[in-house]
Amino acid sequence: GCTVKYTGYLEHWDEPFCTNCYSKSPGLMKLGKDITLGGLEIGLLTMKKGEVARFVFTPDYAYGRQGCPPLIPPNATVMFEVEVLDFLDSDESDAFFELTAEQQDTFPLQKVLKVADTEREFGNYLYRKRHFEGAKDRYKRAFSILGRSPSSEAEQCQMDASKLLVLLNLSLTYLKLERPAQALAYGEKALEIDQRNAKALFRCGQACLCMTEYEKARDFLVRAQHIQPFNHDINNELKKLA
């Protein structure tokens, strides 16, 4: 999927026939599903995040012999100006989730970690757009595949590192969704992996504060402060408590 700004022009016309540049935050679009113009699909696959390009498409790569009346005349050559704002490759991830649980279990760990990472990135993208429900679902999908039994200590470490990031994201997202009990539960799961994780302690403290469990909140926040004594956010929450 990618987030792009685009403007399409007909040959010899100054005014665009389509654009999404007026939108403050264009949504994520999937190649082949939301973006179906042949030339544009090919062009976008050659681009990197942050790149700006101008493509001229002959009718074969655009709207064909028929055109798309009344907007696009027959046999039209079109020009697109495109900027790639964000790019997330979800093909591998989508394919993985279509497999049965037994098939997923036979996947090499590195691929599973890559899928979890892609899901987390999608979650982060949705979180930044303030789509917290969607972000939570992506994080949960990532977490659901990180439960397999490791075959070595090295594998355990890799899985724990991946799990920790997802759990911290889940805790934060549940705070945004105003569901502090879940935020606390995921924060505590993160602490099972790393008991000195300041972010996890901070999230647990915030959750307890929301639930008016002040003693518990203080305990978590003081522990977080010991690890990061100059953290502005932690100190501010403790001031609120006082």
Side-chain angles (χ1 to χ4, degrees):
C2 57
T3 317
V4 292
K5 279 196 169 179
Y6 62 82
T7 307
Y9 297 89
L10 288 166
E11 211 175 11
H12 313 306
W13 282 64
D14 294 334
E15 288 297 308
F17 65 84
C18 72
T19 183
N20 73 342
C21 287
Y22 304 121
S23 167
K24 263 190 185 166
S25 57
L28 197 68
M29 296 189 286
K30 288 198 86 165
L31 295 177
K33 190 174 164 198
D34 306 305
I35 299 169
T36 52
L37 201 71
L40 208 47
E41 275 195 80
I42 296 165
L44 282 166
L45 287 169
T46 68
M47 293 177 73
K48 295 192 289 286
K49 183 176 169 176
E51 193 176 342
V52 180
R54 186 176 284 173
F55 297 109
V56 176
F57 302 130
T58 58
D60 286 347
Y61 288 94
Y63 298 94
R65 282 192 197 161
Q66 311 296 319
C68 196
L71 213 52
I72 316 288
N75 285 316
T77 294
V78 297
M79 192 264 285
F80 269 84
E81 287 176 352
V82 186
E83 180 184 359
V84 175
L85 306 173
D86 221 336
F87 199 92
L88 290 166
D89 184 2
S90 68
D91 281 355
E92 204 173 349
S93 178
D94 292 343
F96 180 85
F97 282 103
E98 281 168 18
L99 301 172
T100 64
E102 289 77 23
Q103 288 170 319
Q104 287 181 4
D105 281 344
T106 64
F107 251 58
L109 179 73
Q110 293 314 315
K111 279 206 170 178
V112 173
L113 292 174
K114 193 176 170 212
V115 168
D117 206 43
T118 301
E119 288 302 307
R120 192 171 58 81
E121 279 184 29
F122 263 101
N124 291 350
Y125 171 82
L126 291 166
Y127 182 92
R128 288 195 299 272
K129 299 284 178 193
R130 305 190 67 76
H131 299 316
F132 301 126
E133 273 292 338
K136 171 203 55 131
D137 292 342
R138 286 289 185 170
Y139 295 144
K140 280 196 153 179
R141 240 163 67 121
F143 188 62
S144 74
I145 62 167
L146 292 169
R148 65 154 69 180
S149 303
S151 59
S152 67
E153 207 169 310
E155 272 198 12
Q156 182 71 65
C157 286
Q158 283 183 295
M159 281 171 68
D160 281 350
S162 192
K163 248 189 226 177
L164 187 61
L165 292 172
V166 176
L167 289 167
L168 289 170
N169 287 352
L170 274 165
S171 186
L172 179 61
T173 307
Y174 271 114
L175 282 172
K176 292 288 184 189
L177 287 166
E178 295 177 6
R179 290 161 71 183
Q182 279 95 335
L184 177 62
Y186 282 111
E188 287 182 322
K189 275 187 203 273
L191 289 171
E192 284 170 24
I193 295 171
D194 175 11
Q195 61 183 9
R196 285 181 54 78
N197 189 288
K199 265 187 186 171
L201 290 164
F202 179 56
R203 303 260 184 274
C204 289
Q206 284 180 302
C208 290
L209 205 56
C210 292
M211 294 189 289
T212 66
E213 292 185 19
Y214 300 123
E215 280 303 309
K216 226 171 150 187
R218 185 178 175 73
D219 179 51
F220 279 122
L221 292 168
V222 167
R223 281 164 67 194
Q225 191 185 45
H226 283 162
I227 296 157
Q228 290 190 359
F230 303 109
N231 185 302
H232 186 68
D233 294 329
I234 296 168
N235 293 336
N236 266 358
E237 290 295 299
L238 275 165
K239 271 183 203 155
K240 267 192 223 171
L241 255 178

